[in-house]
PDB file of all heavy atoms in Angstrom:
ATOM      1  N   THR A 261     121.953 104.544  88.005  1.00  0.00           N
ATOM      2  CA  THR A 261     120.512 104.192  87.958  1.00  0.00           C
ATOM      3  C   THR A 261     120.067 103.987  86.473  1.00  0.00           C
ATOM      4  O   THR A 261     119.230 103.151  86.146  1.00  0.00           O
ATOM      5  CB  THR A 261     119.689 105.273  88.680  1.00  0.00           C
ATOM      6  OG1 THR A 261     119.922 106.588  88.108  1.00  0.00           O
ATOM      7  CG2 THR A 261     119.969 105.290  90.172  1.00  0.00           C
ATOM      8  N   LYS A 262     120.600 104.823  85.584  1.00  0.00           N
ATOM      9  CA  LYS A 262     120.251 104.695  84.218  1.00  0.00           C
ATOM     10  C   LYS A 262     120.751 103.369  83.596  1.00  0.00           C
ATOM     11  O   LYS A 262     120.053 102.678  82.870  1.00  0.00           O
ATOM     12  CB  LYS A 262     120.840 105.854  83.378  1.00  0.00           C
ATOM     13  CG  LYS A 262     120.437 105.869  81.938  1.00  0.00           C
ATOM     14  CD  LYS A 262     120.963 107.097  81.228  1.00  0.00           C
ATOM     15  CE  LYS A 262     120.540 107.097  79.735  1.00  0.00           C
ATOM     16  NZ  LYS A 262     121.085 108.310  79.056  1.00  0.00           N
ATOM     17  N   GLN A 263     121.998 102.967  84.001  1.00  0.00           N
ATOM     18  CA  GLN A 263     122.523 101.762  83.551  1.00  0.00           C
ATOM     19  C   GLN A 263     121.731 100.563  84.089  1.00  0.00           C
ATOM     20  O   GLN A 263     121.509  99.566  83.326  1.00  0.00           O
ATOM     21  CB  GLN A 263     124.007 101.688  83.963  1.00  0.00           C
ATOM     22  CG  GLN A 263     124.910 102.600  83.176  1.00  0.00           C
ATOM     23  CD  GLN A 263     126.309 102.617  83.779  1.00  0.00           C
ATOM     24  OE1 GLN A 263     126.806 101.628  84.382  1.00  0.00           O
ATOM     25  NE2 GLN A 263     126.911 103.789  83.748  1.00  0.00           N
ATOM     26  N   MET A 264     121.322 100.604  85.319  1.00  0.00           N
ATOM     27  CA  MET A 264     120.569  99.499  85.912  1.00  0.00           C
ATOM     28  C   MET A 264     119.251  99.326  85.165  1.00  0.00           C
ATOM     29  O   MET A 264     118.796  98.207  84.819  1.00  0.00           O
ATOM     30  CB  MET A 264     120.292  99.716  87.410  1.00  0.00           C
ATOM     31  CG  MET A 264     121.480  99.454  88.260  1.00  0.00           C
ATOM     32  SD  MET A 264     121.093  99.242  90.023  1.00  0.00           S
ATOM     33  CE  MET A 264     120.581 100.912  90.382  1.00  0.00           C
ATOM     34  N   ARG A 265     118.576 100.461  84.847  1.00  0.00           N
ATOM     35  CA  ARG A 265     117.234 100.366  84.161  1.00  0.00           C
ATOM     36  C   ARG A 265     117.482  99.804  82.743  1.00  0.00           C
ATOM     37  O   ARG A 265     116.645  99.046  82.241  1.00  0.00           O
ATOM     38  CB  ARG A 265     116.559 101.732  84.102  1.00  0.00           C
ATOM     39  CG  ARG A 265     115.308 101.721  83.337  1.00  0.00           C
ATOM     40  CD  ARG A 265     114.433 102.902  83.597  1.00  0.00           C
ATOM     41  NE  ARG A 265     113.191 102.798  82.906  1.00  0.00           N
ATOM     42  CZ  ARG A 265     112.016 103.374  83.291  1.00  0.00           C
ATOM     43  NH1 ARG A 265     111.988 104.140  84.349  1.00  0.00           N
ATOM     44  NH2 ARG A 265     110.945 103.183  82.628  1.00  0.00           N
ATOM     45  N   SER A 266     118.530 100.225  82.075  1.00  0.00           N
ATOM     46  CA  SER A 266     118.795  99.667  80.738  1.00  0.00           C
ATOM     47  C   SER A 266     119.094  98.244  80.733  1.00  0.00           C
ATOM     48  O   SER A 266     118.724  97.463  79.863  1.00  0.00           O
ATOM     49  CB  SER A 266     120.020 100.435  80.116  1.00  0.00           C
ATOM     50  OG  SER A 266     119.673 101.820  79.935  1.00  0.00           O
ATOM     51  N   LEU A 267     119.770  97.771  81.784  1.00  0.00           N
ATOM     52  CA  LEU A 267     120.149  96.330  81.889  1.00  0.00           C
ATOM     53  C   LEU A 267     118.907  95.430  82.023  1.00  0.00           C
ATOM     54  O   LEU A 267     118.653  94.465  81.305  1.00  0.00           O
ATOM     55  CB  LEU A 267     121.119  96.137  83.124  1.00  0.00           C
ATOM     56  CG  LEU A 267     121.482  94.653  83.329  1.00  0.00           C
ATOM     57  CD1 LEU A 267     122.339  94.153  82.239  1.00  0.00           C
ATOM     58  CD2 LEU A 267     122.217  94.520  84.739  1.00  0.00           C
ATOM     59  N   LEU A 268     118.050  95.759  83.055  1.00  0.00           N
ATOM     60  CA  LEU A 268     116.827  94.964  83.291  1.00  0.00           C
ATOM     61  C   LEU A 268     115.714  95.992  83.576  1.00  0.00           C
ATOM     62  O   LEU A 268     115.460  96.287  84.765  1.00  0.00           O
ATOM     63  CB  LEU A 268     117.052  94.024  84.528  1.00  0.00           C
ATOM     64  CG  LEU A 268     118.022  92.841  84.335  1.00  0.00           C
ATOM     65  CD1 LEU A 268     118.265  92.182  85.638  1.00  0.00           C
ATOM     66  CD2 LEU A 268     117.534  91.915  83.252  1.00  0.00           C
ATOM     67  N   PRO A 269     115.039  96.453  82.578  1.00  0.00           N
ATOM     68  CA  PRO A 269     114.008  97.442  82.764  1.00  0.00           C
ATOM     69  C   PRO A 269     112.746  97.005  83.504  1.00  0.00           C
ATOM     70  O   PRO A 269     111.977  97.881  83.968  1.00  0.00           O
ATOM     71  CB  PRO A 269     113.678  97.854  81.345  1.00  0.00           C
ATOM     72  CG  PRO A 269     114.047  96.686  80.495  1.00  0.00           C
ATOM     73  CD  PRO A 269     115.189  96.027  81.134  1.00  0.00           C
ATOM     74  N   ASN A 270     112.499  95.734  83.568  1.00  0.00           N
ATOM     75  CA  ASN A 270     111.244  95.208  84.087  1.00  0.00           C
ATOM     76  C   ASN A 270     111.360  94.617  85.524  1.00  0.00           C
ATOM     77  O   ASN A 270     110.539  93.793  85.889  1.00  0.00           O
ATOM     78  CB  ASN A 270     110.620  94.291  83.132  1.00  0.00           C
ATOM     79  CG  ASN A 270     110.295  94.852  81.822  1.00  0.00           C
ATOM     80  OD1 ASN A 270     109.809  95.980  81.733  1.00  0.00           O
ATOM     81  ND2 ASN A 270     110.583  94.145  80.760  1.00  0.00           N
ATOM     82  N   ASN A 271     112.356  95.075  86.267  1.00  0.00           N
ATOM     83  CA  ASN A 271     112.543  94.623  87.636  1.00  0.00           C
ATOM     84  C   ASN A 271     112.678  95.778  88.544  1.00  0.00           C
ATOM     85  O   ASN A 271     113.658  95.970  89.290  1.00  0.00           O
ATOM     86  CB  ASN A 271     113.803  93.814  87.716  1.00  0.00           C
ATOM     87  CG  ASN A 271     113.698  92.488  86.929  1.00  0.00           C
ATOM     88  OD1 ASN A 271     113.941  92.400  85.711  1.00  0.00           O
ATOM     89  ND2 ASN A 271     113.365  91.406  87.655  1.00  0.00           N
ATOM     90  N   PRO A 272     111.583  96.660  88.653  1.00  0.00           N
ATOM     91  CA  PRO A 272     111.656  97.824  89.400  1.00  0.00           C
ATOM     92  C   PRO A 272     111.808  97.627  90.911  1.00  0.00           C
ATOM     93  O   PRO A 272     112.515  98.395  91.605  1.00  0.00           O
ATOM     94  CB  PRO A 272     110.343  98.557  89.131  1.00  0.00           C
ATOM     95  CG  PRO A 272     109.388  97.453  88.732  1.00  0.00           C
ATOM     96  CD  PRO A 272     110.270  96.436  88.054  1.00  0.00           C
ATOM     97  N   THR A 273     111.224  96.593  91.461  1.00  0.00           N
ATOM     98  CA  THR A 273     111.311  96.351  92.898  1.00  0.00           C
ATOM     99  C   THR A 273     112.695  96.018  93.326  1.00  0.00           C
ATOM    100  O   THR A 273     113.260  96.584  94.292  1.00  0.00           O
ATOM    101  CB  THR A 273     110.296  95.290  93.380  1.00  0.00           C
ATOM    102  OG1 THR A 273     108.963  95.601  93.023  1.00  0.00           O
ATOM    103  CG2 THR A 273     110.391  95.076  94.872  1.00  0.00           C
ATOM    104  N   THR A 274     113.281  95.051  92.527  1.00  0.00           N
ATOM    105  CA  THR A 274     114.696  94.696  92.860  1.00  0.00           C
ATOM    106  C   THR A 274     115.611  95.933  92.633  1.00  0.00           C
ATOM    107  O   THR A 274     116.550  96.190  93.512  1.00  0.00           O
ATOM    108  CB  THR A 274     115.156  93.564  91.964  1.00  0.00           C
ATOM    109  OG1 THR A 274     114.234  92.484  92.182  1.00  0.00           O
ATOM    110  CG2 THR A 274     116.589  93.131  92.250  1.00  0.00           C
ATOM    111  N   ARG A 275     115.443  96.659  91.575  1.00  0.00           N
ATOM    112  CA  ARG A 275     116.236  97.806  91.250  1.00  0.00           C
ATOM    113  C   ARG A 275     116.130  98.871  92.373  1.00  0.00           C
ATOM    114  O   ARG A 275     117.123  99.521  92.745  1.00  0.00           O
ATOM    115  CB  ARG A 275     115.833  98.441  89.916  1.00  0.00           C
ATOM    116  CG  ARG A 275     116.867  99.407  89.389  1.00  0.00           C
ATOM    117  CD  ARG A 275     116.593  99.702  87.890  1.00  0.00           C
ATOM    118  NE  ARG A 275     115.293 100.377  87.651  1.00  0.00           N
ATOM    119  CZ  ARG A 275     114.267  99.814  87.058  1.00  0.00           C
ATOM    120  NH1 ARG A 275     114.349  98.573  86.623  1.00  0.00           N
ATOM    121  NH2 ARG A 275     113.115 100.491  86.832  1.00  0.00           N
ATOM    122  N   SER A 276     114.980  98.942  93.037  1.00  0.00           N
ATOM    123  CA  SER A 276     114.810  99.980  94.047  1.00  0.00           C
ATOM    124  C   SER A 276     115.681  99.694  95.243  1.00  0.00           C
ATOM    125  O   SER A 276     116.157 100.694  95.949  1.00  0.00           O
ATOM    126  CB  SER A 276     113.337  99.949  94.521  1.00  0.00           C
ATOM    127  OG  SER A 276     112.979  98.833  95.303  1.00  0.00           O
ATOM    128  N   ALA A 277     116.012  98.422  95.539  1.00  0.00           N
ATOM    129  CA  ALA A 277     116.816  98.124  96.680  1.00  0.00           C
ATOM    130  C   ALA A 277     118.326  98.552  96.383  1.00  0.00           C
ATOM    131  O   ALA A 277     118.996  99.085  97.260  1.00  0.00           O
ATOM    132  CB  ALA A 277     116.780  96.517  96.953  1.00  0.00           C
ATOM    133  N   LEU A 278     118.774  98.317  95.141  1.00  0.00           N
ATOM    134  CA  LEU A 278     120.168  98.777  94.836  1.00  0.00           C
ATOM    135  C   LEU A 278     120.178 100.291  94.745  1.00  0.00           C
ATOM    136  O   LEU A 278     121.214 100.891  95.250  1.00  0.00           O
ATOM    137  CB  LEU A 278     120.532  98.175  93.471  1.00  0.00           C
ATOM    138  CG  LEU A 278     120.970  96.767  93.304  1.00  0.00           C
ATOM    139  CD1 LEU A 278     122.219  96.532  94.127  1.00  0.00           C
ATOM    140  CD2 LEU A 278     119.887  95.746  93.675  1.00  0.00           C
ATOM    141  N   ASP A 279     119.164 100.945  94.251  1.00  0.00           N
ATOM    142  CA  ASP A 279     119.082 102.383  94.240  1.00  0.00           C
ATOM    143  C   ASP A 279     119.120 102.963  95.577  1.00  0.00           C
ATOM    144  O   ASP A 279     119.866 103.920  95.929  1.00  0.00           O
ATOM    145  CB  ASP A 279     117.743 102.759  93.508  1.00  0.00           C
ATOM    146  CG  ASP A 279     117.495 104.268  93.542  1.00  0.00           C
ATOM    147  OD1 ASP A 279     117.020 104.787  94.578  1.00  0.00           O
ATOM    148  OD2 ASP A 279     117.715 104.913  92.491  1.00  0.00           O
ATOM    149  N   MET A 280     118.426 102.354  96.547  1.00  0.00           N
ATOM    150  CA  MET A 280     118.328 102.759  97.972  1.00  0.00           C
ATOM    151  C   MET A 280     119.706 102.635  98.646  1.00  0.00           C
ATOM    152  O   MET A 280     120.202 103.537  99.297  1.00  0.00           O
ATOM    153  CB  MET A 280     117.379 101.868  98.669  1.00  0.00           C
ATOM    154  CG  MET A 280     116.882 102.330 100.034  1.00  0.00           C
ATOM    155  SD  MET A 280     115.709 101.061 100.741  1.00  0.00           S
ATOM    156  CE  MET A 280     114.431 100.995  99.468  1.00  0.00           C
ATOM    157  N   ALA A 281     120.400 101.532  98.329  1.00  0.00           N
ATOM    158  CA  ALA A 281     121.758 101.339  98.895  1.00  0.00           C
ATOM    159  C   ALA A 281     122.765 102.337  98.346  1.00  0.00           C
ATOM    160  O   ALA A 281     123.679 102.805  99.122  1.00  0.00           O
ATOM    161  CB  ALA A 281     122.229  99.923  98.588  1.00  0.00           C
ATOM    162  N   LEU A 282     122.616 102.701  97.093  1.00  0.00           N
ATOM    163  CA  LEU A 282     123.540 103.742  96.532  1.00  0.00           C
ATOM    164  C   LEU A 282     123.280 105.097  97.239  1.00  0.00           C
ATOM    165  O   LEU A 282     124.255 105.785  97.602  1.00  0.00           O
ATOM    166  CB  LEU A 282     123.280 103.823  95.059  1.00  0.00           C
ATOM    167  CG  LEU A 282     123.773 102.730  94.149  1.00  0.00           C
ATOM    168  CD1 LEU A 282     123.314 102.904  92.704  1.00  0.00           C
ATOM    169  CD2 LEU A 282     125.319 102.567  94.189  1.00  0.00           C
ATOM    170  N   TYR A 283     122.048 105.475  97.398  1.00  0.00           N
ATOM    171  CA  TYR A 283     121.772 106.722  98.115  1.00  0.00           C
ATOM    172  C   TYR A 283     122.304 106.689  99.548  1.00  0.00           C
ATOM    173  O   TYR A 283     122.706 107.682 100.098  1.00  0.00           O
ATOM    174  CB  TYR A 283     120.297 107.062  98.018  1.00  0.00           C
ATOM    175  CG  TYR A 283     119.800 107.823  96.784  1.00  0.00           C
ATOM    176  CD1 TYR A 283     119.389 107.103  95.702  1.00  0.00           C
ATOM    177  CD2 TYR A 283     119.877 109.149  96.727  1.00  0.00           C
ATOM    178  CE1 TYR A 283     119.063 107.792  94.486  1.00  0.00           C
ATOM    179  CE2 TYR A 283     119.469 109.851  95.633  1.00  0.00           C
ATOM    180  CZ  TYR A 283     119.096 109.188  94.507  1.00  0.00           C
ATOM    181  OH  TYR A 283     118.732 109.874  93.345  1.00  0.00           O
ATOM    182  N   ASP A 284     122.152 105.540 100.174  1.00  0.00           N
ATOM    183  CA  ASP A 284     122.719 105.387 101.569  1.00  0.00           C
ATOM    184  C   ASP A 284     124.166 105.634 101.604  1.00  0.00           C
ATOM    185  O   ASP A 284     124.719 106.364 102.435  1.00  0.00           O
ATOM    186  CB  ASP A 284     122.342 103.974 102.088  1.00  0.00           C
ATOM    187  CG  ASP A 284     122.629 103.766 103.512  1.00  0.00           C
ATOM    188  OD1 ASP A 284     122.769 104.781 104.237  1.00  0.00           O
ATOM    189  OD2 ASP A 284     122.667 102.624 103.968  1.00  0.00           O
ATOM    190  N   ILE A 285     124.876 105.090 100.676  1.00  0.00           N
ATOM    191  CA  ILE A 285     126.349 105.294 100.557  1.00  0.00           C
ATOM    192  C   ILE A 285     126.679 106.787 100.291  1.00  0.00           C
ATOM    193  O   ILE A 285     127.534 107.370 101.016  1.00  0.00           O
ATOM    194  CB  ILE A 285     126.989 104.415  99.482  1.00  0.00           C
ATOM    195  CG1 ILE A 285     126.932 102.891  99.891  1.00  0.00           C
ATOM    196  CG2 ILE A 285     128.428 104.816  99.202  1.00  0.00           C
ATOM    197  CD1 ILE A 285     127.342 101.996  98.760  1.00  0.00           C
ATOM    198  N   VAL A 286     125.939 107.361  99.387  1.00  0.00           N
ATOM    199  CA  VAL A 286     126.322 108.750  99.055  1.00  0.00           C
ATOM    200  C   VAL A 286     125.987 109.681 100.251  1.00  0.00           C
ATOM    201  O   VAL A 286     126.821 110.566 100.577  1.00  0.00           O
ATOM    202  CB  VAL A 286     125.487 109.254  97.878  1.00  0.00           C
ATOM    203  CG1 VAL A 286     125.706 110.727  97.564  1.00  0.00           C
ATOM    204  CG2 VAL A 286     125.919 108.418  96.619  1.00  0.00           C
ATOM    205  N   GLY A 287     124.893 109.426 100.940  1.00  0.00           N
ATOM    206  CA  GLY A 287     124.571 110.151 102.147  1.00  0.00           C
ATOM    207  C   GLY A 287     125.638 110.064 103.231  1.00  0.00           C
ATOM    208  O   GLY A 287     126.034 111.070 103.813  1.00  0.00           O
ATOM    209  N   GLN A 288     126.066 108.852 103.432  1.00  0.00           N
ATOM    210  CA  GLN A 288     127.225 108.673 104.411  1.00  0.00           C
ATOM    211  C   GLN A 288     128.494 109.404 103.972  1.00  0.00           C
ATOM    212  O   GLN A 288     129.176 109.925 104.804  1.00  0.00           O
ATOM    213  CB  GLN A 288     127.418 107.140 104.585  1.00  0.00           C
ATOM    214  CG  GLN A 288     126.237 106.411 105.230  1.00  0.00           C
ATOM    215  CD  GLN A 288     126.550 104.915 105.261  1.00  0.00           C
ATOM    216  OE1 GLN A 288     127.632 104.445 105.795  1.00  0.00           O
ATOM    217  NE2 GLN A 288     125.672 104.081 104.746  1.00  0.00           N
ATOM    218  N   ALA A 289     128.784 109.260 102.688  1.00  0.00           N
ATOM    219  CA  ALA A 289     130.010 109.854 102.189  1.00  0.00           C
ATOM    220  C   ALA A 289     130.116 111.372 102.409  1.00  0.00           C
ATOM    221  O   ALA A 289     131.152 111.913 102.571  1.00  0.00           O
ATOM    222  CB  ALA A 289     130.188 109.485 100.730  1.00  0.00           C
ATOM    223  N   VAL A 290     128.927 112.032 102.251  1.00  0.00           N
ATOM    224  CA  VAL A 290     128.882 113.493 102.324  1.00  0.00           C
ATOM    225  C   VAL A 290     128.424 113.970 103.787  1.00  0.00           C
ATOM    226  O   VAL A 290     128.357 115.125 103.998  1.00  0.00           O
ATOM    227  CB  VAL A 290     128.033 114.130 101.275  1.00  0.00           C
ATOM    228  CG1 VAL A 290     128.634 113.790  99.887  1.00  0.00           C
ATOM    229  CG2 VAL A 290     126.586 113.743 101.366  1.00  0.00           C
ATOM    230  N   GLY A 291     128.034 112.973 104.590  1.00  0.00           N
ATOM    231  CA  GLY A 291     127.640 113.285 105.989  1.00  0.00           C
ATOM    232  C   GLY A 291     126.247 113.915 106.056  1.00  0.00           C
ATOM    233  O   GLY A 291     126.012 114.755 106.958  1.00  0.00           O
ATOM    234  N   MET A 292     125.337 113.503 105.162  1.00  0.00           N
ATOM    235  CA  MET A 292     123.993 114.037 105.214  1.00  0.00           C
ATOM    236  C   MET A 292     122.912 112.991 105.196  1.00  0.00           C
ATOM    237  O   MET A 292     123.114 111.961 104.471  1.00  0.00           O
ATOM    238  CB  MET A 292     123.788 114.963 103.954  1.00  0.00           C
ATOM    239  CG  MET A 292     124.779 116.099 103.815  1.00  0.00           C
ATOM    240  SD  MET A 292     124.621 116.952 102.192  1.00  0.00           S
ATOM    241  CE  MET A 292     122.986 117.682 102.391  1.00  0.00           C
ATOM    242  N   PRO A 293     121.876 113.140 105.946  1.00  0.00           N
ATOM    243  CA  PRO A 293     120.717 112.199 105.788  1.00  0.00           C
ATOM    244  C   PRO A 293     120.097 112.338 104.406  1.00  0.00           C
ATOM    245  O   PRO A 293     120.279 113.375 103.781  1.00  0.00           O
ATOM    246  CB  PRO A 293     119.717 112.659 106.900  1.00  0.00           C
ATOM    247  CG  PRO A 293     120.082 114.064 107.189  1.00  0.00           C
ATOM    248  CD  PRO A 293     121.577 114.176 106.974  1.00  0.00           C
TER     249      PRO A 293
END
Side-chain angles (χ1 to χ4, degrees):
T261 54
K262 184 177 181 180
Q263 289 169 33
M264 285 196 293
R265 178 165 184 154
S266 296
L267 176 68
L268 293 173
N270 297 318
N271 294 82
T273 301
T274 303
R275 193 165 65 249
S276 71
L278 281 298
D279 175 281
M280 196 182 301
L282 289 172
Y283 272 92
D284 190 15
I285 290 171
V286 175
Q288 293 176 54
V290 300
M292 301 171 69

